[in-house]
Amino acid sequence: MMIRKSAGLVLVALLAVAISSCGDNGDEPNSTASDTTTASDAVLEIEAAFYPLQWMAEQIGGDAVEVHSLAPPGAEPHDLELSPEDVARVQDADAVVYLQGFQPAVDEAVAGADEQRVFDAAEATALDLTFTPIEEGEEHSDEAGSVDPHFWLDPTKLAEVGDRFAAFLGQLDASDADAFTANAATFREQLTALDDELRSGLSSCENVDLVTSHNAFGYFSRRYGLTQVGITGLTPEEEPSPADLAAVTDFVRDHDVRTIYFETLVSPDIARTVAAETGAQTEVLDPIEGLTDESQGDDYLAIMRSNLANIQKGQPCP
Ligand SMILES: [Zn+2]
């Protein structure tokens, strides 16, 4: 039959395009699936607001989804700006996964989307930490008491969100609901193994004061018995005031802190300044807000394990 033959040719051409583009972007080659499935078993197109949510959606959605991240690789996602095309993507997507209160531009775009198709991670786990500045300076007073959004650095919280996300996807695509549930169980197993490693690896640190670049490690520190002292506030863009810097420098000296941690997506200058003034060393501690070529691992699990190794070296934790 003519029709079937030409459809086959188109399919071969689409596959060739999909396969040849895989090497460039490093994406999972599941993009071919959308070309081969029938309308009744269509792939769900998901817009994810930033990397940890993108990774979660890929793990739990598996072959039944295609995930696109609104935050471009290498960009700090807190202050993400969306183009009109991005906003249209959010409003046209089969599903959107975001974190209310983390990225104002995404919050705004989501407000115009069908709420049945929107998953807010902030409603899937308790965001029960608020930001406390090291010293209540004028610069920070408006941020004091703000909800800390960085839940994903506690793997047990990410697993919790994963379970809820699987249920959400199952409502949108009932035929794949069992697969989503199974994927969420695997997701939870991987995160539980990571949590075990972190707990035992950080159980005997000589120093528990974690001096970080921005205050991303609140949930992480609570989970693993550490105390976070962030040089800037809840967002990395903020410049610390001279008073903030002096307070951190005093803290580092008074508490015999040996390592100042910096991030991959923001300049290490401030961490280096504090280190130089106090004689401390510097080390990477990645809040996993996005991947770059400098990331010490190619997914969430690998970067968390690099973070563990770096903290064990920096505190140190024998
Ligand atoms: Zn952050």
Side-chain angles (χ1 to χ4, degrees), residues 49-254:
F50 63 107
Y51 175 71
L53 298 182
Q54 174 199 345
W55 181 69
M56 176 190 77
E58 287 167 351
Q59 300 301 304
I60 290 172
D63 294 337
V65 305
E66 195 175 309
V67 185
H68 173 260
S69 178
L70 288 168
E76 214 328 289
H78 274 274
D79 59 345
L80 179 70
E81 288 176 14
L82 297 181
S83 67
E85 291 75 22
D86 294 327
V87 174
R89 289 187 81 108
V90 167
Q91 291 170 2
D92 295 343
D94 294 324
V96 181
V97 49
Y98 83 118
L99 175 61
Q100 175 74 38
F102 182 58
Q103 298 157 291
V106 178
D107 292 354
E108 225 172 274
V110 158
D114 171 8
E115 60 182 42
Q116 299 299 313
R117 299 186 169 276
V118 172
F119 180 87
D120 176 7
E123 288 180 357
T125 187
L127 297 184
D128 51 357
L129 281 182
T130 52
F131 170 58
T132 320
I134 180 170
E135 207 164 77
E136 303 263 352
E138 267 173 46
E139 253 89 352
H140 274 159
S141 54
D142 57 335
E143 230 195 354
S146 304
V147 171
D148 183 348
H150 303 90
F151 75 87
W152 62 91
L153 294 168
D154 175 345
T156 65
K157 282 189 158 300
L158 187 54
E160 221 179 301
V161 175
D163 287 334
R164 297 278 294 269
F165 185 69
F168 162 81
L169 282 187
Q171 283 179 342
L172 294 181
D173 174 8
S175 65
D176 287 309
D178 289 347
F180 299 143
T181 305
N183 290 345
T186 305
F187 187 66
R188 177 172 282 281
E189 270 166 37
Q190 291 178 316
L191 292 170
T192 302
L194 172 67
D195 178 57
D196 288 345
E197 285 171 43
L198 286 162
R199 262 189 304 167
S200 61
L202 301 175
S203 62
S204 55
C205 298
E206 287 175 19
N207 190 317
V208 295
D209 296 311
L210 202 61
V211 178
T212 64
S213 178
H214 83 288
N215 280 265
F217 290 87
Y219 295 100
F220 178 92
S221 295
R222 180 174 71 180
R223 177 83 190 156
Y224 303 111
L226 304 169
T227 305
Q228 170 184 243
V229 180
I231 300 176
T232 63
L234 276 175
T235 62
E237 296 76 32
E238 208 175 332
E239 282 284 311
S241 67
D244 293 332
L245 272 180
V248 171
T249 304
D250 287 347
F251 184 93
V252 168
R253 288 203 184 98
D254 294 348

